[in-house]
Amino acid sequence: MKRTALFLIAFFVAFIFVSAEASAAYNYDPFGDAIASAEALIARKVVDSSNLLDREGESAGYVFGALADVFAHEDRVFIVDSENDAVVVLDDEYRFIAAFGRDEGAGKLKNPRGIYVTEDYIYVADYGNNRVAVFTHDYEFSWEATTPDDPSFKQDPADERGYDFKPLKLAVNDAGRIYVVADQIFEGIIDLNPDGSFSRYVGASTVTLSVWEAFWLLFTTETQRRAQGYRLATSFVNVNVDEKGHLYTLSGLSEGSRVIKKLNNKGYDILWRNGYVPPVGDVASIDGRVKVPTGPSQLVDIDVNESGTYCVLDKTRGRIFVYDFEGYLLYIGGQLGNIGGAANNQRSLFLSPEALCFHKDGILVVDSLNKNLVVMGYTEFASLVNAASDRYFKGEYDEAMELWEEVLVHNTNYYLAYAGIGKALLRAGDYRGAMVNCKLGHDRYNYSKAYKYYRYEKMTVIFPYIAATALGLAVFLFVRSLRTSVRREQEEENNE
């Protein structure tokens, strides 16, 4: 009877896990296995042509086409409509303000693909016009960056050796330098000077060969190698920039665990990957029990906030992965979501998600096939995680610990919360408590540090007693030895 009960309990737990894996929110444990998690992102609003209003509450009369990119700047949201050759501007309540780039003239866009907004300008990756088009904040065309002066590009329409300059995505740092991901360019990210002139390539990926390919090349002739074609480095998919000027990039699947990179000004990858799983999106294999597309995550967009937290969008399964500055996976959204509180599987919201960005208390996602903007809001659980990560990033460890404790109320198997509490206790000098929580959080590095300090702390407490005991023993042995020597000398004198 007892065995039967245990079997039924195990079966029930397994059934719950499988169901959670298929349809509910999840995360990954320190061993790389998918585990159930509290919901992090909920679809609060969907903006499309049917409900797009202007600031007076009237129908805007604009019909969305295929949407390619989204960017939030201060109190405005910019959406790239590649089908209508326009950039749509909304206010922070997602009401229509303007649509520019459609008028005839120098500012007319053609199949735009990407956008980046700074304090001074609005930069648009104008794919069809082979340029980066730059507009003022009054939506007037200002200037353009055309084909870079580099042999990779056609300097003349009759040139058959180079490629057309086809910008896909772009980012601009505080100094005005423009970083462009262009179609068919494998040398790296194009770095343009603030005036649009070509400077260099940044962060080119290295070409890697398998052991078999390297061995086979030893026995091939030059003619055979030419017949095999060129081995090209992985091209970049997207780019963004943080407040310090570091580039956050996305590459193809051949980069393995380094599909996300953080490049410094020398082009070196300095992204921290300290998390339980590598920052690649889904890490567990997707099997037939889960009714979603199979295969690895196809990451298509990335955004980073002031706390070093970055989010990436998986086009394969419409999921949003959010990581902290150390590379820990904070939570996953996009699997399930409710609109206005009504039960609705969020997978029906995304058909072909293209881009995302942080905005206010949530994340915005645009879909090219649904032709809409989905406003994803944080749940209480995600808000607590965000706040705790932000406090830890700023060095406010006590406040972070209190927030991590609240996170555990919502999700008791959230390992990162235990690790966060352990780090806070370590810095507070509670090494015993730090060891307990770091062990629960599978944080071996900080557990080792806590253990070292704990051992030292105990040794400093008991060392005086050990030293006093050792000294007393030494004195006792010395006195006894001295008395023994004196007694022997007296015995020898008496014998004489």
Side-chain angles (χ1 to χ4, degrees):
M1 183 67 182
K2 186 176 181 180
R3 285 187 177 181
T4 303
L6 290 174
F7 173 78
L8 290 174
I9 292 172
F11 176 79
F12 180 69
V13 171
F15 176 78
I16 291 175
F17 175 77
V18 171
S19 300
E21 184 183 24
S23 61
Y26 67 100
N27 204 317
Y28 290 98
D29 67 14
F31 309 103
D33 297 322
I35 58 174
S37 176
E39 195 71 63
L41 292 169
I42 297 293
R44 303 295 187 193
K45 187 174 184 178
V46 176
V47 181
D48 57 23
S49 304
S50 67
N51 62 1
L52 181 61
L53 304 177
D54 60 22
R55 288 184 166 181
E56 282 70 42
E58 303 293 332
S59 174
Y62 183 89
V63 179
F64 282 126
L67 307 182
D69 204 359
V70 61
F71 193 95
H73 178 74
E74 295 181 348
D75 59 348
R76 290 178 295 172
V77 176
F78 299 82
I79 301 175
V80 176
D81 188 339
S82 59
E83 185 176 344
N84 290 325
D85 301 328
V87 174
V88 180
V89 186
L90 309 180
D91 65 14
D92 57 359
E93 298 297 329
Y94 315 111
R95 296 173 298 189
F96 181 85
I97 297 177
F100 66 91
R102 296 182 294 175
D103 297 336
E104 295 296 333
K108 184 174 177 57
L109 301 173
K110 184 178 180 181
N111 193 13
R113 299 290 187 88
I115 190 169
Y116 198 93
V117 184
T118 67
E119 295 294 331
D120 299 319
Y121 294 111
I122 302 167
Y123 298 80
V124 181
D126 195 3
Y127 181 90
N129 285 324
N130 305 341
R131 65 176 183 172
V132 173
V134 185
F135 297 82
T136 67
H137 281 277
D138 293 325
Y139 318 127
E140 298 292 334
F141 177 75
S142 180
W143 56 280
E144 63 183 7
T146 55
T147 302
D149 184 15
D150 181 80
S152 298
F153 299 99
K154 291 182 179 180
Q155 303 302 314
D156 184 271
D159 187 359
E160 298 181 354
R161 294 175 297 176
Y163 292 99
D164 289 325
F165 178 48
K166 297 287 188 181
L168 296 169
K169 303 294 179 182
L170 76 168
V172 185
N173 68 10
D174 290 342
R177 303 196 69 85
I178 309 169
Y179 300 94
V180 182
V181 172
D183 192 21
Q184 295 296 314
I185 298 301
F186 301 92
E187 285 81 357
I189 294 173
I190 303 165
D191 180 4
L192 302 179
N193 295 313
D195 62 357
S197 59
F198 178 73
S199 174
R200 57 172 181 161
Y201 290 102
V202 179
S205 303
T206 57
V207 179
T208 57
L209 299 176
S210 66
V211 176
W212 171 250
E213 288 175 329
F215 175 76
W216 178 249
L217 285 176
L218 296 175
F219 303 96
T220 57
T221 64
E222 187 65 29
T223 302
Q224 289 173 324
R225 293 175 187 173
R226 288 200 195 97
Q228 293 175 2
Y230 295 104
R231 289 178 172 83
L232 301 175
T234 303
S235 61
F236 288 96
V237 175
N238 215 321
V239 62
N240 213 315
V241 63
D242 67 9
E243 293 181 335
K244 295 182 179 180
H246 298 128
L247 298 181
Y248 284 74
T249 67
L250 297 177
S251 303
L253 295 175
S254 61
E255 287 292 295
S257 63
R258 306 180 78 84
V259 294
I260 303 174
K261 295 178 183 152
K262 179 182 178 181
L263 306 179
N264 61 13
N265 58 358
K266 293 185 178 180
Y268 297 142
D269 182 18
I270 58 172
L271 185 72
W272 287 5
R273 298 177 175 86
N274 299 337
Y276 303 126
V277 294
V280 295
D282 276 317
V283 296
S285 60
I286 306 298
D287 57 36
R289 297 175 301 169
V290 185
K291 296 179 180 180
V292 295
T294 60
S297 294
Q298 181 187 355
L299 305 182
V300 294
D301 200 10
I302 184 169
D303 195 18
V304 57
N305 65 19
E306 62 278 0
S307 298
T309 298
Y310 54 96
C311 61
V312 292
L313 177 63
D314 171 23
K315 189 171 184 177
T316 301
R317 286 175 285 278
R319 290 172 179 162
I320 301 166
F321 298 84
V322 181
Y323 300 88
D324 73 358
F325 70 101
E326 291 184 323
Y328 284 94
L329 178 58
L330 297 180
Y331 46 82
I332 304 170
Q335 181 68 14
L336 290 176
N338 297 328
I339 305 175
N344 191 328
N345 192 319
Q346 188 175 298
R347 283 173 292 182
S348 65
L349 296 179
F350 297 135
L351 290 180
S352 182
E354 295 290 342
L356 84 174
C357 70
F358 288 111
H359 182 239
K360 294 167 61 177
D361 295 327
I363 297 174
L364 306 181
V365 182
V366 292
D367 192 297
S368 61
L369 290 183
N370 276 331
K371 301 180 180 180
N372 61 17
L373 169 73
V374 181
V375 182
M376 305 294 296
Y378 299 124
T379 64
E380 185 178 358
F381 163 73
S383 296
L384 288 170
V385 170
N386 292 339
S389 180
D390 177 69
R391 296 295 189 278
Y392 176 68
F393 176 78
K394 295 176 180 177
E396 300 170 1
Y397 304 116
D398 291 338
E399 293 84 348
M401 182 174 66
E402 294 177 0
L403 290 166
W404 285 129
E405 290 172 346
E406 291 187 52
V407 168
L408 290 174
V409 174
H410 291 77
N411 187 358
T412 55
N413 65 349
Y414 194 74
Y415 293 93
L416 186 57
Y418 293 109
I421 294 171
K423 293 174 186 176
L425 292 175
L426 174 61
R427 286 167 175 80
D430 183 358
Y431 305 124
R432 178 63 181 174
M435 289 169 57
V436 172
N437 282 277
C438 287
K439 186 175 182 179
L440 291 172
H442 290 262
D443 187 346
R444 296 181 179 179
Y445 174 75
N446 285 294
Y447 177 87
S448 298
K449 288 180 63 176
Y451 177 74
K452 181 179 72 173
Y453 291 131
Y454 177 72
R455 182 178 57 188
Y456 176 79
E457 183 181 63
K458 290 301 180 183
M459 287 298 297
T460 57
V461 172
I462 66 174
F463 180 76
Y465 299 100
I466 295 175
T469 303
L471 180 61
L473 181 61
V475 171
F476 170 76
L477 293 175
F478 175 76
V479 171
R480 189 177 70 171
S481 175
L482 183 62
R483 293 178 62 182
T484 302
S485 298
V486 171
R487 187 170 56 252
R488 287 179 180 175
E489 289 181 0
Q490 290 177 347
E491 289 178 352
E492 291 177 357
E493 290 178 357
N494 293 332
N495 292 333
E496 291 177 358

